[in-house]
Amino acid sequence: MAPKVIPIEERFWSKVDVKNQGDCWNWTAGTRGSKGYEYGGFRIKRGVMESSHRMAYILTFGEIPDDMIVCHRCDNAKCCNPHHLFLGTHDDNAKDRVMKGRSPNREGENNTMSVFTREDVIFIRENIANGEYSQKELSTMFGVSKTAISLVVHRRRWVHLK
């Protein structure tokens, strides 16, 4: 006797803790990810996995355009409630994260790639403004490229510092 084939919709929704429309419907099966962003993973067929929130969107609303991603209104990576999901671009998702205050401050010294301190930037800008040093001299002084100095002087870097 052949094994019973369970429809994909039934198989998927059996792994979701469905509640009221306003509540998060959490994925109850396996997850992947890290740092509090564990997304559910649903095996569509052998060798083909899809994120659970994307699958919830597809089953409810249809296909996802190639240039779009599925975002969460609730910011709960395990949530599969279609009413909490919306389509957006990566840029939309980043703006949503910033608007909700979930984006870490990576300005100035909080940026791990920064080679300057706040005081360095003030010094560079003041000394260029008053003609004390050239960008070349400052680049030698700080051991960085002239481009790095130019980006600070022209406020392409450290733009938050007036």
Side-chain angles (χ1 to χ4, degrees):
M1 181 188 262
K4 180 182 175 196
V5 177
I6 301 170
I8 195 167
E9 294 87 356
E10 184 180 332
R11 209 165 43 85
F12 176 80
W13 292 112
S14 72
K15 299 173 187 321
V16 177
D17 183 16
V18 177
K19 297 181 178 183
N20 293 322
Q21 183 173 324
D23 294 332
C24 287
W25 300 357
N26 287 331
W27 180 250
T28 61
T31 59
R32 55 186 177 189
S34 62
K35 296 185 181 179
Y37 293 100
E38 291 87 18
Y39 290 91
F42 179 72
R43 184 180 315 279
I44 297 172
K45 59 185 177 184
R46 185 178 299 276
V48 181
M49 291 286 288
E50 184 62 85
S51 296
S52 58
H53 67 291
R54 289 177 53 86
M55 197 67 206
Y57 188 93
I58 291 166
L59 290 173
T60 306
F61 303 112
E63 291 301 313
I64 302 165
D66 290 339
D67 60 338
M68 302 297 266
I69 62 172
V70 178
C71 307
H72 288 90
R73 286 187 175 87
C74 58
D75 298 330
N76 175 0
K78 292 181 183 178
C79 182
C80 296
N81 183 339
H83 302 287
H84 291 192
L85 306 174
F86 66 98
L87 288 182
T89 64
H90 285 286
D91 190 49
D92 294 333
N93 200 32
K95 287 175 183 171
D96 182 58
R97 183 181 66 236
V98 169
M99 186 180 75
K100 292 175 179 173
R102 292 186 300 104
S103 188
N105 177 2
R106 301 242 193 269
E107 293 179 331
E109 293 174 65
N110 291 325
N111 185 330
T112 58
M113 299 297 290
S114 178
V115 296
F116 300 117
T117 64
R118 183 179 196 283
E119 291 75 25
D120 293 340
V121 172
I122 292 168
F123 178 86
I124 291 166
R125 288 179 179 164
E126 285 178 352
N127 283 281
I128 287 293
N130 68 24
E132 185 76 25
Y133 295 104
S134 68
Q135 288 187 24
K136 176 76 174 136
E137 291 169 321
L138 288 167
S139 70
T140 302
M141 187 184 302
F142 283 95
V144 297
S145 68
K146 186 174 170 283
T147 300
I149 299 295
S150 178
L151 290 170
V152 167
V153 170
H154 296 289
R155 290 177 162 69
R156 302 276 193 291
R157 299 292 184 268
W158 287 77
V159 296
H160 66 286
L161 186 59
K162 302 296 177 208

